[in-house]
Amino acid sequence: MNSYRTLFAVACSAMMAFAAGCGDDNTDNTEPTGNKTVSDLDITPDASSMKKGETLQYKLKVTYSDGTVDDDVAGDADVSWSSSDAATATVSEDGLVTAVEEGTATITAKLGDEEETETIIVTP
């Protein structure tokens, strides 16, 4: 009977030690995505100018801290897109930019704590 108590105590100790090691050690201040952590974003194509009325579909490449890469997450629900000047250029939730009026706008893609920007100059 005493050996069952010892075995039970050892098993409980092992489970507690395992559970204590399952905490969040995300110390690099980047956002976890699933079991991965975002380390870099890249917007493509690199386009610095557009004519008024044109559209451009951006892709968003994400590199994770484990070295794996997703070539295009532009339309993913976790990605947010914004324009610094919607009167000049708008951007949809999946990265489609529309040149509205002459001027300059900065397009930003954000995933977790990481963000990437591209500056667009709209010409006549």
Side-chain angles (χ1 to χ4, degrees), residues 24-33 36-40 63-66 113-114:
D24 178 16
D25 68 353
N26 183 19
T27 58
D28 62 359
N29 294 325
T30 55
E31 185 71 17
T33 302
K36 301 178 183 182
T37 303
V38 176
S39 63
D40 188 49
T63 303
Y64 298 99
S65 58
D66 66 359
D113 291 337
E114 295 292 318

Side-chain angles (χ1 to χ4, degrees), residues 1-12:
M1 183 74 155
N2 199 16
S3 62
Y4 289 113
R5 287 184 189 157
T6 303
L7 180 61
F8 181 75
V10 169
C12 287

Side-chain angles (χ1 to χ4, degrees), residues 42-112:
D42 185 36
I43 296 174
T44 57
D46 292 328
S48 59
S49 68
M50 297 173 66
K51 291 184 180 179
K52 182 178 171 181
E54 285 184 332
T55 60
L56 173 67
Q57 179 63 60
Y58 275 136
K59 290 185 177 185
L60 183 64
K61 179 175 141 182
V62 59
T63 303
Y64 298 99
S65 58
D66 66 359
T68 58
V69 174
D70 280 335
D71 287 325
D72 188 12
V73 297
D76 287 8
D78 295 336
V79 175
S80 64
W81 292 91
S82 62
S83 171
S84 65
D85 185 0
T88 300
T90 60
V91 62
S92 69
E93 62 187 24
D94 64 349
L96 180 66
V97 177
T98 302
V100 178
E101 193 61 56
E102 284 184 66
T104 302
T106 301
I107 306 299
T108 302
K110 185 171 183 178
L111 178 60

